[in-house]
Amino acid sequence: MTMADSNFPIDNGASCIPISPEEEKRIVAELIKKSELNLKEGNLYFVISNRWFSKWQRYVGHSVGMLSTDQQSSDGQHADTGHSEIIHRPGPIDNSDIISNQSNCDGNDLDIRQTLEEEKDYVLVPQEVWERLLEWYKGGPALPRKLISQGVGHKQYSIEVYPLSLKVTDARDNSVSIVKLSKKATVSELYELVCKVKGVQQNEACIWDYFNLSKQSLLTASNQTLEDTNFTMGQDILLEISVRTDQSSQSGVHSMGNELALGSSESSSLTNMDDKCDVYRGERGGLAGLQNLGNTCFMNSAIQCLVHTPPLVEFFLQDYTDEINMDNPLGMRGELALAFGDLLRKLWSSGRTAIAPRAFKGKLARFAPQFSGYNQHDSQELLAFLLDGLHEDLNRVKQKPYIEMKDSDGRPDEEVAYECWKNHMARNDSLIVDECQGQYKSTLVCPECGKISITFDPFMYLSLPLPSTVTRTMTVTVFYCDGSGLPMPYTVTVLKNGCCRDLCQALGTACCLKSDEMLLLAEVYEHKIYRYLDIPLEPLNSIKDDEHIVAYRLKNVAKKTKLEILHRCLDNVKGGDRKIFGTPLVTYLVEDPHYGANIETYVHRMLAPLRKAHSSTKSHEGKENGFISAGSDEESSTSNSQSEPRDLTLGTREQEGTSCGESSFQLVLTNENCLSCEPIEKAYVIKPGAAIRVFLDWSDKEYELYDASYLRDLPEVHKTGFTVKKTRQEAISLFSCLEAFLTEEPLGPDDMWYCPRCKEHRQATKKLDLWKLPEILVFHLKRFSYSRYLKNKLDTFVNFPIHNLDLTKYVKTKDGQSYVYNLYAISNHYGGLGGGHYTAYAKLIDENKWYHFDDSHVSPVNEAEIKSSAAYVLFYQRVGSKGQMEGETSQVPSGSCRK
């Protein structure tokens, strides 16, 4: 990297020495480290445009404790090119590209544009870093944001990039103003700010929750935080001027409102739960939509799927007071279950009136701060949290015993599985476990010592990879180093997160590798060996699709000196100079010492399959394109098949070049960089070393005898043509996704297993098997993939059964039960990453009809229309009577409450 000439800034501290990019980097890195050790609520951070910050990072040399997405991408690009690049010092800090054009709120800081993503559109730096950058570069404007704590119990710190924005309607003239303040601000602070903006006395002001432009509740000046009022971003509040003594009567009117009373008034949520079946039988229950509170379609989609799950509907429409666990330290004091139950009852009793899930979202933000704010989130991640949270809030186990897990130690699977499930039930016993949890078998095998570890673990859903995300096709050209066959490209399918050993095994099967043979993988770049892939556990993701990989087929003997043969020909363009072409040939030398004659013998041997047919009078039968094929009559005297090598030993007339009148090759010894040249004579003794590199200089004689086309035009590892890109992706089945999930695969480098026998972490192979399936089976289709440089969504159409999904053959336990399921709900995702839109399909069992739930809008849909490439999470219910994990007596079937 080359730095452009520039005047470094002068440090205003004790030193007057110009600050270099390296010094800026050091100072900022230290300030970031210091701030991370002093996290506390109220600390200031500043928002900086990633467009400017990535330029600064490149200028100082990257990696100062935070790295933007743009910078990561550029790192990869510049690293590949290898070119020196002039990096200029960035100009003044410029945040203009992230500031909202509507930043005209009253008495507040500047606003940034909605839906921006951290590390993609902006970065957050501590106050001390901002002050230094401002001192060095000037510019701005400043966009300060506070660090707040969220959550209950284990609090999480987060920077409130988007403070709560509220629209104030003045009842005197219906004018609208915007105020902005932290969600951690109190109602008293809201009164103070609104009265200051409107120029009124606080004792004359009444502020109403004006959600949907309707009076919901009168706010009383108190220390209650705005977070607890369930305000949503951009919602309305109403300012009325009145005498404060009137508030009591007004609040008395409000007490008849429809706001859910949760938290301190859980008891009210547990009353009047009798005769809930009457609600269920009400006017077309289950057809209410959910209002979008600002990018909450992911939440609405997940909720609609859960509130149309028959066992949950039956449970929450009845009196479940005794099931609430208020004391579970892993739960949420029952508040999440109560909030969900209240919301479910509203959705099943409100006809088609859309519900605003503000109270539920408020509870969600308290207990799962990762879902707070108004950015788009993942419906599957929310579903996972809700199922786990509901389980803990409804856990019948009050005191969880400590249980030490035992190793399988070769015991029968049935015994180990029963023991694991019994231990699980001793700590986890709830409606969610009864209905939604299954059990799978996990087998780990150490690649070094062969240690086998078998465990049986519970699951609440199955995350199925799409086959295209699990495997990749790779084309590798195999070269026969003993001269027994022509170079042959093979295309094999391997696991994406596999290793070079897996590729060698697949190639060995494809090319019928013998037990005494091995494959040596190498990457060819610019007609030379760029690298050898001779580490068995080297990840395959180090091989890119546009690279050229070869495999040299060798005898599996103790490795001797490696011989690399590179091909050169005359370059007519450059006035007779020689240039490298074709694919190098590689083998191992077994003779010692190494003479020039030995080298020539190996060259003859490896080029033998490329020999052209010499007799034009012979029949073309047994030839391909004019060249001798493996099974032709012309080779029958020395070999009956391509796999049998010809007689290519020293001393044969063909090797000595006398049968066809050819002279010895022109061989030139070179070094690792291919810069030196030293002609090789037959009696020449070559100094021993790990590798010998030789140029084979082709002349007209070689071109006449051998077909060099087999050495040219190596195929890429994976070639995706333009026409393929335009073709719609081939549909895959749910079964193929399940089989990919159950396929044995090596653990990733970041997910190593500690082998108790080796006493080290190993990249073990892992195999999953389904042992028992629950009544409610949830499939998550893994459409989103993330890597360091790339985020991607697959819109592949997955064909899934709506009726009679039979999984019996996949279940390993032999309990004689049938595992057949029917679909009843789908969470859909449309669009790309970081945005898009979620909807849901759900079936009303009583009506046997499907409906589309798109936030507030609910409409009927034909069953044939529910299959699409947007399907993301699938919900199935088992057909027939309920089969229990522990053989309990069958409970009342789902839906009996409605009969």
Side-chain angles (χ1 to χ4, degrees):
M1 182 173 67
T2 303
M3 293 294 178
D5 292 334
S6 62
N7 295 321
F8 297 143
I10 304 296
D11 194 341
N12 291 333
S15 174
C16 294
I17 302 175
I19 300 177
S20 65
E22 292 76 18
E23 184 68 5
E24 287 188 23
K25 175 181 175 180
R26 184 192 64 78
I27 292 173
V28 170
E30 289 180 356
L31 291 175
I32 289 175
K33 185 176 181 180
K34 180 181 177 182
S35 70
E36 290 174 347
L37 297 175
N38 189 35
L39 289 178
K40 61 182 180 181
E41 194 164 7
N43 284 358
L44 275 183
Y45 283 74
F46 284 76
V47 184
I48 299 181
S49 165
N50 186 47
R51 186 175 65 179
W52 183 89
F53 192 76
S54 61
K55 293 177 182 177
W56 178 80
Q57 281 186 308
R58 292 177 62 193
Y59 171 65
V60 301
H62 321 306
S63 185
V64 290
M66 58 190 70
L67 186 62
S68 65
T69 304
D70 287 353
Q71 191 54 51
Q72 289 181 358
S73 300
S74 62
D75 279 351
Q77 292 167 1
H78 296 316
D80 290 340
T81 61
H83 297 304
S84 179
E85 179 185 18
I86 298 177
I87 305 297
H88 295 278
R89 185 172 186 268
I93 299 172
D94 182 7
N95 287 330
S96 60
D97 62 314
I98 61 173
I99 296 176
S100 171
N101 294 328
Q102 300 177 349
S103 294
N104 57 353
C105 51
D106 295 305
N108 290 276
D109 298 321
L110 289 171
D111 208 357
I112 68 173
R113 292 191 290 113
Q114 296 291 320
T115 69
L116 298 183
E117 295 183 41
E118 186 178 356
E119 293 190 349
K120 178 183 177 183
D121 303 300
Y122 65 87
V123 295
L124 297 162
V125 300
Q127 181 177 2
E128 295 80 5
V129 173
W130 165 258
E131 290 172 350
R132 279 301 185 120
L133 292 175
L134 189 64
E135 174 186 321
W136 295 333
Y137 292 94
K138 310 303 179 186
L143 301 171
R145 297 295 186 264
K146 285 186 178 181
L147 186 72
I148 63 174
S149 65
Q150 293 180 278
V152 176
H154 300 287
K155 290 186 178 294
Q156 300 179 15
Y157 286 109
S158 63
I159 300 167
E160 194 174 27
V161 177
Y162 293 98
L164 185 62
S165 177
L166 300 173
K167 291 188 287 186
V168 183
T169 299
D170 191 331
R172 294 172 296 180
D173 56 7
N174 288 327
S175 62
V176 177
S177 303
I178 297 176
V179 296
K180 225 167 19 83
L181 65 175
S182 171
K183 67 180 72 173
K184 290 295 184 179
T186 64
V187 177
S188 293
E189 291 172 324
L190 174 64
Y191 264 96
E192 181 180 349
L193 177 59
V194 170
C195 291
K196 178 181 177 181
V197 169
K198 290 297 183 180
V200 298
Q201 298 295 319
Q202 288 194 43
N203 61 355
E204 298 178 351
C206 295
I207 300 178
W208 290 81
D209 179 350
Y210 202 45
F211 184 75
N212 284 348
L213 300 181
S214 174
K215 286 185 179 181
Q216 305 290 329
S217 61
L218 179 66
L219 302 177
T220 303
S222 66
N223 290 328
Q224 181 187 27
T225 65
L226 300 183
E227 184 179 38
D228 293 333
T229 63
N230 301 321
F231 280 163
T232 61
M233 180 68 76
Q235 85 155 68
D236 295 274
I237 57 176
L238 178 66
L239 171 65
E240 290 184 337
I241 307 301
S242 64
V243 180
R244 297 292 291 176
T245 55
D246 293 342
Q247 286 192 33
S248 59
S249 61
Q250 290 170 333
S251 62
V253 175
H254 163 65
S255 66
M256 302 295 290
N258 62 359
E259 185 69 25
L260 282 173
L262 294 174
S264 61
S265 55
E266 285 97 346
S267 58
S268 64
S269 299
L270 298 175
T271 59
N272 300 322
M273 287 189 178
D274 54 329
D275 300 326
K276 289 300 177 183
C277 290
D278 293 335
V279 176
Y280 200 106
R281 288 194 296 264
E283 181 185 353
R284 299 178 68 85
L287 292 180
L290 289 164
Q291 292 185 27
N292 192 316
L293 305 179
N295 275 334
T296 57
C297 58
F298 77 98
M299 182 181 75
N300 294 346
S301 173
I303 290 174
Q304 291 291 5
C305 291
L306 289 181
V307 301
H308 287 87
T309 298
L312 298 186
V313 175
E314 180 181 352
F315 178 86
F316 283 104
L317 286 182
Q318 297 179 0
D319 186 349
Y320 55 94
T321 308
D322 294 338
E323 297 281 346
I324 296 293
N325 187 337
M326 302 283 191
D327 305 315
N328 185 356
L330 298 179
M332 282 142 270
R333 301 193 298 269
E335 292 186 41
L336 182 67
L338 290 168
F340 178 81
D342 282 351
L343 181 58
L344 181 145
R345 289 194 297 276
K346 284 193 171 188
L347 289 170
W348 279 93
S349 62
S350 65
R352 289 180 175 267
T353 303
I355 303 298
R358 291 199 300 161
F360 182 81
K361 187 179 187 304
K363 292 296 178 185
L364 191 62
R366 286 188 62 205
F367 293 107
Q370 65 268 31
F371 298 114
S372 63
Y374 298 91
N375 288 332
Q376 186 70 277
H377 295 282
D378 190 318
S379 69
Q380 185 274 330
E381 292 178 0
L382 175 61
L383 282 164
F385 168 79
L386 290 178
L387 287 172
D388 186 64
L390 290 174
H391 156 65
E392 295 295 356
D393 271 4
L394 300 175
N395 199 343
R396 303 177 186 112
V397 178
K398 306 302 180 182
Q399 295 289 333
K400 293 191 175 187
Y402 171 76
I403 300 174
E404 186 173 351
M405 304 303 294
K406 300 178 183 178
D407 200 354
S408 57
D409 287 332
R411 292 181 292 161
D413 284 349
E414 290 76 11
E415 178 184 337
V416 180
Y418 175 83
E419 179 184 272
C420 290
W421 186 258
K422 182 180 178 181
N423 293 340
H424 175 67
M425 288 292 293
R427 295 172 54 85
N428 303 276
D429 183 13
S430 70
L431 167 76
I432 304 302
V433 175
D434 296 342
E435 302 292 344
C436 303
Q437 287 196 358
Q439 189 182 34
Y440 61 72
K441 173 186 175 183
S442 176
T443 304
L444 290 169
V445 181
C446 177
E448 299 298 328
C449 70
K451 166 69 176 176
I452 299 176
S453 174
I454 297 176
T455 58
F456 289 83
D457 302 306
F459 68 85
M460 202 124 52
Y461 53 87
L462 297 176
S463 290
L464 305 186
L466 276 61
S468 57
T469 67
V470 176
T471 60
R472 62 184 293 198
T473 57
M474 302 182 72
T475 299
V476 178
T477 303
V478 176
F479 283 79
Y480 294 76
C481 298
D482 61 357
S484 63
L486 290 167
M488 181 68 67
Y490 292 92
T491 300
V492 295
T493 300
V494 291
L495 294 170
K496 275 189 176 180
N497 64 343
C499 55
C500 289
R501 178 181 58 192
D502 303 321
L503 177 58
C504 285
Q505 289 175 349
L507 287 170
T509 301
C511 71
C512 300
L513 194 71
K514 296 179 181 178
S515 59
D516 63 343
E517 293 179 317
M518 59 170 284
L519 293 175
L520 175 63
L521 296 176
E523 179 188 349
V524 175
Y525 179 69
E526 293 185 345
H527 312 295
K528 293 181 286 188
I529 300 294
Y530 179 74
R531 58 171 173 158
Y532 287 102
L533 300 162
D534 51 1
I535 301 176
L537 294 182
E538 181 167 354
L540 288 179
N541 57 20
S542 68
I543 302 175
K544 305 298 185 288
D545 283 347
D546 59 352
E547 293 175 349
H548 300 88
I549 304 297
V550 297
Y552 297 104
R553 185 169 180 165
L554 302 158
K555 287 295 182 182
N556 196 6
V557 295
K559 294 182 181 179
K560 300 288 186 179
T561 301
K562 192 180 295 177
L563 172 63
E564 292 182 11
I565 302 170
L566 293 82
H567 309 277
R568 292 197 307 182
C569 63
L570 290 175
D571 188 351
N572 296 324
V573 177
K574 293 188 177 181
D577 290 345
R578 293 191 177 272
K579 65 178 181 180
I580 303 176
F581 78 97
T583 305
L585 301 176
V586 176
T587 190
Y588 285 108
L589 300 177
V590 295
E591 296 84 2
D592 198 13
H594 310 304
Y595 292 98
N598 301 138
I599 304 298
E600 187 171 321
T601 299
Y602 281 98
V603 173
H604 276 290
R605 181 178 300 170
M606 286 187 284
L607 286 181
L610 278 59
R611 181 180 293 277
K612 296 180 180 179
H614 296 291
S615 176
S616 60
T617 60
K618 290 187 177 182
S619 170
H620 289 283
E621 183 179 356
K623 299 183 181 181
E624 297 178 7
N625 299 326
F627 306 116
I628 301 173
S629 64
S632 68
D633 293 338
E634 296 172 66
E635 289 191 45
S636 61
S637 61
T638 57
S639 174
N640 292 326
S641 68
Q642 184 176 351
S643 62
E644 294 295 329
R646 306 173 184 177
D647 184 9
L648 297 172
T649 59
L650 272 171
T652 62
R653 295 178 62 198
E654 185 179 23
Q655 285 293 352
E656 293 179 358
T658 57
S659 63
C660 297
E662 75 244 42
S663 62
S664 299
F665 288 116
Q666 299 178 45
L667 300 177
V668 179
L669 185 67
T670 186
N671 60 5
E672 183 178 358
N673 298 324
C674 300
L675 297 178
S676 66
C677 293
E678 185 177 352
I680 299 177
E681 303 296 337
K682 286 191 176 184
Y684 184 89
V685 178
I686 301 173
K687 294 179 181 180
I692 297 175
R693 293 173 182 83
V694 174
F695 285 135
L696 167 57
D697 288 340
W698 285 62
S699 63
D700 292 341
K701 187 184 305 179
E702 281 75 35
Y703 281 116
E704 180 181 350
L705 292 173
Y706 300 100
D707 182 8
S709 66
Y710 286 103
L711 301 174
R712 304 178 188 269
D713 302 326
L714 275 181
E716 293 180 355
V717 169
H718 181 74
K719 183 72 172 178
T720 303
F722 177 73
T723 55
V724 175
K725 291 183 179 180
K726 294 184 65 177
T727 305
R728 179 180 175 180
Q729 297 186 44
E730 182 180 355
I732 59 178
S733 71
L734 183 64
F735 293 104
S736 63
C737 296
L738 179 59
E739 287 162 4
F741 173 76
L742 300 175
T743 299
E744 182 181 63
E745 61 179 355
L747 297 175
D750 299 328
D751 191 25
M752 306 280 270
W753 171 63
Y754 182 79
C755 176
R757 182 181 295 169
C758 298
K759 307 299 183 184
E760 290 185 26
H761 285 89
R762 301 294 192 191
Q763 193 173 9
T765 59
K766 183 176 183 178
K767 174 73 170 71
L768 296 178
D769 291 295
L770 301 180
W771 190 254
K772 287 190 176 182
L773 299 182
E775 292 295 304
I776 300 298
L777 183 57
V778 180
F779 289 112
H780 162 224
L781 303 179
K782 296 172 70 173
R783 295 193 177 276
F784 302 111
S785 62
Y786 304 90
S787 66
R788 182 179 179 186
Y789 302 117
L790 182 65
K791 298 179 180 180
N792 186 37
K793 183 200 171 185
L794 291 174
D795 288 317
T796 306
F797 176 77
V798 177
N799 190 14
F800 49 88
I802 298 176
H803 304 283
N804 299 320
L805 170 64
D806 191 351
L807 301 175
T808 306
K809 71 174 183 178
Y810 295 99
V811 182
K812 295 302 181 181
T813 184
K814 306 302 180 184
D815 56 4
Q817 298 190 47
S818 175
Y819 291 94
V820 180
Y821 291 82
N822 286 338
L823 186 73
Y824 71 87
I826 306 172
S827 176
N828 301 303
H829 180 268
Y830 301 89
L833 287 167
H837 183 58
Y838 287 92
T839 68
Y841 290 124
K843 184 177 183 179
L844 292 191
I845 307 299
D846 281 353
E847 298 182 6
N848 194 30
K849 290 182 180 179
W850 284 89
Y851 289 86
H852 184 215
F853 294 84
D854 185 358
D855 289 333
S856 301
H857 183 68
V858 181
S859 58
V861 63
N862 293 327
E863 186 173 89
E865 299 175 17
I866 66 172
K867 288 187 179 184
S868 74
S869 59
Y872 183 43
V873 185
L874 308 174
F875 292 76
Y876 283 90
Q877 184 179 25
R878 190 170 166 185
V879 176
S881 60
K882 188 179 302 183
Q884 300 300 311
M885 297 292 270
E886 286 295 321
E888 303 96 338
T889 57
S890 296
Q891 300 178 9
V892 180
S894 301
S896 61
C897 181
R898 303 192 294 272
K899 303 300 180 184

